[in-house]
Amino acid sequence: MEKMILEVKEVSAVRKKFRLQNISFSLPEGYIMGLMGKNGAGKTTLLKCIANGKSRYQGDILVADKNCHSNPLWTGNKIAYLTEESRFFHEETLERNAKVFGLFYENFSLEEWKEAMERIELSGKRVYGRLSRGEKIKFHLAFAMAYQPSLYLLDEVTAGMDPVFRAEFFQLLHKIVEHGGASILMTSHLMEEMELKTDYLGLLEEGSLRAFGETPDILTAFKAGTLGWVRKEEEGRQ
């Protein structure tokens, strides 16, 4: 029986005028799941509910069999949330940032961080604020790998990446799920990326999970128009 890294059970949440409604799915260990939806569908809201054990929502979210609400500190050490938003010091070096912020994670290893930085070919002497967007994402990933989370949440991190960098980035992600006992949940607007890089796929629409399953099955139904979605290239014709 497969070990479940993430279990989302009938999760609902209200953020201003937006509502997530009864979201349920499970993600086994060692897989990559994609989450697709138009802007405003609820992708980031859902990821923030999962990432923050103190976030307000109804239902249950379990990471590695532990309830996020009941165990916020434990699950905080088991989740890596990668986004454009940064909590790192912009005027400090990457090594200084790693040493300071690594103190907040029980399993953080500076040696493992240095090894990850070598793999992604990024110097710890670089200043965070002077990195390109892609280099910042690389650093975020290396930092996360150093405390060995069970679940990686990636919020549109591949947007704007050039094809070569995107290929290298996904090589790293596949190594993580193959050898690290972890799973990845990522959002993206790129259909080809979802088709080629993910094992499972969820489709969000107006706060509801319209479909969830293995990626080939969901994409076949999506392309056939049997899910009731209006595809982007068809929106102008409606």
Side-chain angles (χ1 to χ4, degrees):
M1 183 176 179
E2 290 183 307
K3 176 181 178 181
M4 292 297 163
I5 290 295
L6 174 64
E7 296 174 81
V8 178
K9 301 180 178 181
E10 298 184 357
V11 168
S12 298
V14 177
R15 299 291 184 271
K16 296 182 179 180
K17 296 182 179 180
F18 180 78
R19 180 185 296 273
L20 279 180
Q21 305 176 67
N22 299 321
I23 307 294
S24 296
F25 64 88
S26 298
L27 177 60
E29 179 183 76
Y31 292 94
I32 298 176
M33 173 182 164
L35 191 62
M36 290 191 68
K38 300 174 184 177
N39 288 334
K43 303 185 298 297
T44 296
T45 299
L46 178 57
L47 261 59
K48 287 183 175 180
C49 286
I50 298 170
N52 184 357
K54 296 181 180 180
S55 182
R56 291 177 297 169
Y57 57 82
Q58 295 177 318
D60 292 299
I61 298 175
L62 281 69
V63 173
D65 294 327
K66 293 213 174 184
N67 189 290
C68 291
H69 266 166
S70 304
N71 305 274
L73 293 178
W74 187 89
T75 52
N77 278 279
K78 292 295 183 180
I79 296 174
Y81 183 30
L82 277 67
T83 176
E84 283 194 347
E85 298 176 6
S86 173
R87 66 186 187 280
F88 295 106
F89 299 131
H90 283 242
E91 300 304 319
E92 296 288 352
T93 66
L94 302 185
E95 184 170 3
R96 175 62 177 163
N97 271 293
K99 288 179 177 178
V100 171
F101 288 93
L103 296 174
F104 293 94
Y105 296 90
E106 293 179 0
N107 297 323
F108 184 84
S109 167
L110 191 61
E111 290 303 315
E112 291 192 19
W113 174 77
K114 290 179 179 178
E115 290 178 6
M117 291 288 283
E118 287 182 8
R119 287 201 293 273
I120 65 175
E121 299 180 346
L122 192 59
S123 171
K125 295 180 180 180
R126 298 279 302 277
V127 174
Y128 180 84
R130 298 176 186 173
L131 300 180
S132 68
R133 181 186 182 279
E135 289 172 332
K136 287 178 180 177
I137 294 299
K138 274 188 172 183
F139 170 66
H140 292 181
L141 183 61
F143 179 84
M145 292 168 66
Y147 64 89
Q148 299 180 343
S150 297
L151 177 65
Y152 291 75
L153 304 175
L154 281 57
D155 195 4
E156 297 286 351
V157 298
T158 60
M161 286 184 181
D162 65 74
V164 174
F165 182 83
R166 186 181 291 116
E168 294 174 351
F169 186 75
F170 273 102
Q171 287 178 359
L172 282 172
L173 296 186
H174 282 289
K175 287 180 181 178
I176 288 172
V177 297
E178 288 172 3
H179 306 295
S183 295
I184 296 169
L185 172 57
M186 63 177 295
T187 68
S188 175
H189 286 101
L190 301 176
M191 178 65 73
E192 182 181 0
E193 192 169 83
M194 295 288 98
E195 186 170 11
L196 298 177
K197 306 299 184 181
T198 67
D199 305 294
Y200 294 91
L201 185 60
L203 302 181
L204 271 179
E205 184 174 41
E206 297 180 349
S208 295
L209 189 63
R210 179 62 64 90
F212 170 75
E214 294 185 10
T215 298
D217 297 335
I218 297 300
L219 287 181
T220 296
F222 176 76
K223 292 175 181 179
T226 59
L227 296 177
W229 272 37
V230 178
R231 298 177 63 185
K232 283 190 174 182
E233 61 267 29
E234 296 172 347
E235 287 178 338
R237 305 173 194 166
Q238 299 298 313

